[in-house]
Amino acid sequence: MKDLFTDYNLSGLQLSNRIVMAPMTRSRAVDTIPNDETALYYGQRASAGLIVSEGSQVSSQGVGYLFTPGIHTDEQAAGWRKVTQAVHEEDGKIFSQLWHVGRLSHTSLHENGASPVGPTSKTAENTTSFAYDEKGKPGPVQTSEPRPLLTDEIKSIVQDFAKAAAKAIDAGFDGVEIHGANGYLIEQFINAGVNTRDDQYGGTIEGRLRLALEVVDAVIAQVGRERVGIRISPFNRIFDMPAFDGEQETWIKLARELSTRNLAYVHISNRDALIANEDGKAFLKQFRESYAGTLILAGLYTKEEGSGISAKA
Ligand SMILES: Cc1cc2nc3c(=O)[nH]c(=O)nc-3n(C[C@H](O)[C@H](O)[C@H](O)COP(=O)(O)O)c2cc1C
């Protein structure tokens, strides 16, 4: 019987077990550059079958919290190289999580006090950015009003993800995970209650999924489909992510589209919320039937539950 400690072939990458360390923001990169302590931290956790790094911004525009690392400059890549070496020395495997927070940010984090960007001018509620307050002191502050992106700007954000993916592979990561979950930029475009656009990146299901799929395709073109995963959180209600018409259809369409891309994996981050009711359980089943590749689930797993699901894979 296969249990959590059975090895796993992830698109050609041999994992020594089926336990994945979830991406977890550490807020220790004072100057956005991972350092020796970051390498020590990840190296100590290399016995996981796969580590997904903390979210790392793909551009200076993509930052939403002080002290999170980036993966868009050579200095950041050099810092990450220490991390990947430390993990590989212990025979571990590590993907880099590529992050753009979209509207969940604050003007104090951006050059010349620029506004954060998103698919809307609606400010996010019930959440904070970790930024500088009025006295210049680091702390939680209300996110700023976002500036809706111009259509042409979206292409350059897609390219930022692709360039960051290339930097991550150069820095020795075994692959990249596109952060499409938890209310950040990609999910802001997918959610019809947040995306107020009337161009090709809004409105219909195809329009709202366009950014996600363009990012996936650009990253695949850059580093190869077997090195690309994506994290999503269907029916996410954190912060002020609202329910919207056609929500199930939207996510199932995404599952089918991702299935045709033959990625390394899809990672669902809010399994605990989904299994809390019958609709969520039925949705997960339908998602599984609609997406043919490796599916990673996160959220309040016990060892027994994890073993049970792993045995079926
Ligand atoms: C402190 C903290 C930081 C997190 N940072 C990230 C992150 O950078 N990227 C991400 O996708 N999820 C992040 N998450 C969510 C976790 O990856 C995960 O989805 C969540 O902990 C559910 O899994 P669990 O119940 O097994 O802990 C974070 C969660 C916590 C508590």
Side-chain angles (χ1 to χ4, degrees), residues 101 122 143 172 197 268:
V101 301
K122 276 197 289 183
T143 54
R197 306 183 69 84
I268 293 183

Side-chain angles (χ1 to χ4, degrees), residues 22 119 208-209 306:
R208 286 181 284 103
L209 293 180

Side-chain angles (χ1 to χ4, degrees), residues 52 62 68 76 88 94 103 112 141 144 165 186 204 214 216 219 225 244 248 256 274 297 299 302 309:
V52 184
T68 57
Q76 291 159 351
H88 291 153
I94 182 165
R103 68 176 180 156
N112 302 322
V141 293
S144 308
I186 290 176
T204 60
E214 283 188 359
V216 167
V219 172
R225 55 116 201 129
F244 59 93
Q248 177 130 346
R256 295 210 173 100
L274 288 167
L297 297 175
T302 62
I309 198 116

Side-chain angles (χ1 to χ4, degrees), residues 38-261:
T38 326
L40 178 66
Y41 168 83
Y42 282 103
Q44 286 167 333
R45 288 156 179 81
S47 61
L50 176 67
I51 296 172
V52 184
S53 82
E54 62 208 277
S56 306
Q57 55 265 8
V58 297
S59 63
S60 51
Q61 184 194 64
V63 69
Y65 307 88
L66 281 167
F67 317 132
T68 57
I71 182 71
H72 55 93
T73 70
D74 289 341
E75 293 74 21
Q76 291 159 351
W80 281 119
R81 197 163 292 120
K82 296 183 200 170
V83 171
T84 59
Q85 277 168 1
V87 171
H88 291 153
E89 271 164 24
E90 300 295 327
D91 292 328
K93 301 285 187 289
I94 182 165
F95 272 40
S96 165
Q97 193 184 49
L98 307 182
W99 194 22
H100 190 308
V101 301
R103 68 176 180 156
L104 294 183
S105 187
H106 186 258
T107 50
S108 67
L109 298 177
H110 300 282
E111 217 173 304
N112 302 322
S115 299
V117 296
T120 180
S121 59
K122 276 197 289 183
T123 305
E125 287 162 19
N126 302 327
T127 185
T128 51
S129 164
F130 194 76
Y132 294 108
D133 67 16
E134 283 155 14
K135 292 183 185 138
K137 213 170 127 236
V141 293
Q142 169 61 47
T143 54
S144 308
E145 182 181 327
R147 177 177 68 75
L149 284 159
L150 301 173
T151 308
D152 287 348
E153 286 178 289
I154 297 174
K155 300 277 174 217
S156 75
I157 291 181
V158 171
Q159 284 315 308
D160 287 341
F161 274 92
K163 285 186 229 157
K167 280 242 178 311
I169 298 301
D170 279 352
F173 282 100
D174 298 291
V176 296
E177 178 178 285
I178 297 163
H179 196 343
N182 301 352
Y184 296 111
L185 183 74
I186 290 176
E187 195 181 282
Q188 291 161 26
F189 271 75
I190 293 173
N191 189 306
V194 175
N195 182 337
T196 54
R197 306 183 69 84
D198 56 11
D199 65 357
Q200 68 265 40
Y201 290 94
T204 60
I205 291 178
E206 286 73 18
R208 286 181 284 103
L209 293 180
R210 194 176 309 281
L211 174 65
L213 294 173
E214 283 188 359
V215 168
V216 167
D217 290 338
V219 172
I220 288 176
Q222 194 72 50
V223 303
R225 55 116 201 129
E226 69 285 354
R227 290 170 179 236
V228 181
I230 183 168
R231 194 170 218 223
I232 55 173
S233 42
F235 294 90
N236 175 25
R237 297 286 175 264
I238 59 167
F239 314 139
D240 61 350
M241 298 306 280
F244 59 93
D245 283 347
E247 196 161 6
Q248 177 130 346
E249 220 185 320
T250 300
W251 292 109
I252 295 303
K253 169 83 175 157
L254 181 61
R256 295 210 173 100
E257 288 288 341
L258 293 173
S259 210
T260 65
R261 266 77 172 178

